[in-house]
Amino acid sequence: MKMELTLPDVDSLSGESLARIRKYLGTDFVVVGAYAAVGGKSDGQIRLDLRLQDTRSGETIDATSETGTESRLLDLVSRAGAHLRKKLGVRAVTNEEAAEVAIALPSKSETAKLYSQGLTKLRVFDALAARDLLLKAVAAEPDYALSHSELATAWAQLGYDENAKKEAKRAFDLSSNLSRAERLLVEGRYRERSLEWGRAIEIYRALVDFFPDNLDYGLALANAQLGANQWKEALDTIATLRALPPPLRDNPQIDLVETDAARALGDYKRTEMALARAVEKARAAGASLLLAKARREEAWLYENSGRQDQVEGAIREAKQLYLAANDRRGVAQAATLEGIALERQGDYWGAKKKYEESLAIYRETGNRLSVSSEYDNLGDVDLFVGDLAGARRNYAEALTIYREWAIRTEQRWSSLGSAMCSWRKGSIRKRSVVIAKRWRFAGGWEIVAGRHRRFPVWPMCSEWKGRFGSAKECGGGNRKI
């Protein structure tokens, strides 16, 4: 939220910032503060200063300070929490509840430090640094479930699905000492990583039943239904979320999930309307990253509905927002869309530069799977411009990574691209045999991550026979982003 709303690093928030938080989260109060550490050893003193602020009036209604040692950090936090609960008129935590919380925390302060630093890196889209910190957290305390769970998230963002699945399973196996809600959430993530969508749906539905006003659980349920291709059920869940009290029901994430479900059902009118609402709400809330995602999705919609005049503006705004937030992955995704737009306009060299821009970012951030997708896109461009050696080289790079992850669908496209390189060199008769085999292998077209992706085979056939008009008419084809 802090990054989404571009909140400042201060000990006390302004009335304007508090109003934005209230609109975004629907919360009545916010706790802000800072700490100061004196000494680096376990007996070093730590001072914690907290302020309780009212998001409606913008006033600070309480301030408290607690001092303790690093080795007794939990006691320090407990005292501060008890003071705030009393000020808010909330009952004190029972001994049983306190014990449940204590047992779910890391037993070592070093683990807690590494875990919190890893979470911070994940929140600022630095999955590579997060992975390294969380690996250290796991090494420091191998039996702490939440370190494994967040490490799974880092691996997934870097494109290492098997590693993510392994860590999610480890987190699930170690989750017995967590609260019931945390246990269910850890298992839900594990089932998602394992593509056990039915079980994931059951778990998230249970969480929604237990906590019906928790928007995150409702969104998790809808996304699991999308993963299971239960698009109509996902729309039913969206309808339930729209019945929540404001401002929860007005969160643009609801509209973005509706976009995915409507698009999968082929309802492009509903898709466009949902995206328009997401843009409007995100812009009004100052939610820059949600706005960037919505504008990026709009660019994709315009691209695939022939509205080229609207593509550039949507991509440009999305990219600028990602740059401002230092979201490197978002910048790369926007650059890929720029490449797709240029390729469809016949500017293959411009498209190549954009794909290379994305490739450089994905290499830098360690996202291997996205690296393979950009090699695939570069292979397509090289093939169009007649650089068969370059195309074959790029397809080979993509295939190496796809095979590493055993991603059969994407292997098909790279294999098909390699066949094209050979086809252009062979006789008409041999070409027909090769492309027929590859086309049957590819299945003509597939849905990848909820989007249609078609390899421009038949336009190439027309081009190579000299019918350039036909090639241009049918050309293009969606790219992996």
Side-chain angles (χ1 to χ4, degrees):
M1 180 199 70
K2 184 178 179 181
M3 178 170 289
E4 184 73 71
L5 299 181
T6 58
L7 299 175
D9 284 315
V10 293
D11 299 342
S12 180
L13 293 169
S14 67
E16 186 271 337
S17 293
L18 290 168
R20 290 171 62 204
I21 292 172
R22 178 176 177 79
K23 186 173 184 179
Y24 187 75
L25 293 179
T27 185
D28 294 328
F29 300 98
V30 172
V31 177
V32 295
Y35 74 93
V38 181
K41 298 181 179 179
S42 60
D43 59 350
Q45 292 291 303
I46 295 178
R47 171 175 169 147
L48 178 64
D49 298 318
L50 297 177
R51 294 175 183 270
L52 181 65
Q53 295 188 272
D54 190 323
T55 60
R56 293 163 295 189
S57 66
E59 297 179 355
T60 298
I61 60 177
D62 188 57
T64 183
S65 295
E66 295 288 345
T67 303
T69 63
E70 183 177 337
S71 60
R72 303 299 300 272
L73 184 61
L74 181 58
D75 291 342
L76 186 158
V77 173
S78 295
R79 293 196 304 272
H83 177 88
L84 292 174
R85 292 173 75 92
K86 183 177 180 180
K87 185 67 180 180
L88 290 168
V90 180
R91 68 169 178 81
V93 175
T94 66
N95 291 335
E96 292 78 9
E97 289 170 336
E100 183 177 332
V101 170
I103 199 173
L105 293 173
S107 61
K108 300 178 181 179
S109 59
E110 181 66 13
T111 306
K113 179 181 178 181
L114 290 166
Y115 173 71
S116 63
Q117 289 175 339
L119 279 181
T120 298
K121 292 298 183 181
L122 280 177
R123 289 167 182 160
V124 296
F125 316 108
D126 191 348
L128 202 59
R131 179 201 63 183
D132 294 342
L133 288 163
L134 291 166
L135 281 170
K136 291 178 182 178
V138 166
E141 194 168 335
D143 293 337
Y144 185 54
L146 295 182
S147 291
H148 290 279
S149 183
E150 297 304 332
L151 179 55
T153 300
W155 280 125
Q157 289 186 10
L158 292 171
Y160 290 82
D161 290 344
E162 283 304 313
N163 288 3
K165 179 180 175 181
K166 177 183 175 182
E167 291 299 330
K169 174 65 163 60
R170 184 65 177 148
F172 171 55
D173 291 340
L174 295 170
S175 64
S176 59
N177 63 339
L178 300 178
S179 67
R180 185 179 185 185
E182 284 184 317
R183 283 200 309 272
L184 286 172
L185 190 58
V186 165
E187 183 181 359
R189 290 174 176 173
Y190 162 57
R191 301 303 177 185
E192 281 192 81
R193 303 288 182 219
S194 303
L195 305 183
E196 298 177 38
W197 297 112
R199 178 58 182 153
I201 288 170
E202 290 177 12
I203 291 166
Y204 291 135
R205 183 170 284 119
L207 283 168
V208 169
D209 290 341
F210 293 145
F211 307 98
D213 59 347
N214 188 305
L215 178 62
D216 290 337
Y217 294 156
L219 291 171
L221 172 59
N223 279 309
Q225 290 167 326
L226 289 177
N229 295 337
Q230 296 181 11
W231 302 307
K232 291 182 179 179
E233 290 81 354
L235 290 176
D236 291 339
T237 299
I238 292 301
T240 301
L241 295 178
R242 293 202 188 284
L244 291 172
L248 294 177
R249 69 187 181 198
D250 299 321
N251 193 299
Q253 292 180 86
I254 298 173
D255 301 290
L256 289 171
V257 175
E258 181 181 357
T259 295
D260 291 335
R263 180 168 49 209
L265 288 168
D267 189 343
Y268 296 109
K269 182 178 180 180
R270 183 169 184 173
T271 299
E272 186 167 3
M273 291 174 62
L275 273 177
R277 287 196 301 271
V279 168
E280 180 182 359
K281 293 175 184 177
R283 202 183 296 282
S288 60
L289 290 175
L290 288 177
L291 176 58
K293 182 178 180 181
R295 289 294 278 161
R296 192 189 77 215
E297 293 290 339
E298 278 195 322
W300 181 259
L301 178 70
Y302 299 149
E303 183 72 46
N304 286 277
S305 58
R307 286 177 279 177
Q308 297 299 320
D309 57 321
Q310 296 175 274
V311 173
E312 183 180 351
I315 298 176
R316 183 172 57 250
E317 182 177 11
K319 194 172 185 179
Q320 288 172 347
L321 289 166
Y322 284 131
L323 283 167
N326 196 32
D327 184 348
R328 301 285 286 156
R329 182 175 54 177
V331 172
Q333 290 170 335
T336 298
L337 277 175
E338 288 177 316
I340 293 171
L342 290 169
E343 188 175 346
R344 288 191 170 179
Q345 295 166 23
D347 184 356
Y348 297 120
W349 299 116
K352 186 172 185 176
K353 288 181 181 179
K354 293 299 180 180
Y355 294 147
E356 287 173 342
E357 178 185 341
S358 298
L359 177 62
I361 293 173
Y362 287 134
R363 278 175 170 166
E364 179 185 336
T365 57
N367 192 323
R368 289 272 289 160
L369 192 55
S370 293
V371 164
S372 63
S373 296
E374 295 310 323
Y375 275 127
D376 216 342
N377 288 337
L378 285 167
D380 294 348
V381 170
D382 286 339
L383 189 57
F384 266 119
V385 300
D387 182 1
L388 302 188
R392 188 179 292 107
R393 184 170 55 252
N394 283 313
Y395 287 135
E397 292 281 1
L399 268 172
T400 298
I401 301 173
Y402 291 147
R403 285 169 177 161
E404 182 181 335
W405 274 278
I407 303 177
R408 183 170 172 79
T409 300
E410 293 302 322
Q411 285 183 49
R412 295 175 179 182
W413 298 117
S414 292
S415 296
L416 186 56
S418 297
M420 293 296 182
C421 297
S422 301
W423 190 19
R424 268 192 163 180
K425 285 188 172 183
S427 68
I428 293 296
R429 186 179 184 84
K430 289 182 179 178
R431 293 171 185 172
S432 300
V433 171
V434 172
I435 194 59
K437 286 182 179 178
R438 294 298 187 181
W439 186 250
R440 284 198 298 272
F441 178 58
W445 59 272
E446 301 240 4
I447 295 180
V448 181
R451 294 190 177 95
H452 292 81
R453 184 177 188 276
R454 187 184 298 275
F455 197 96
V457 174
W458 305 127
M460 289 183 191
C461 298
S462 298
E463 177 187 347
W464 297 334
K465 291 180 180 179
R467 295 201 297 271
F468 294 102
S470 176
K472 185 176 181 180
E473 180 182 345
C474 301
N478 295 345
R479 291 286 181 273
K480 174 86 164 128
I481 62 168

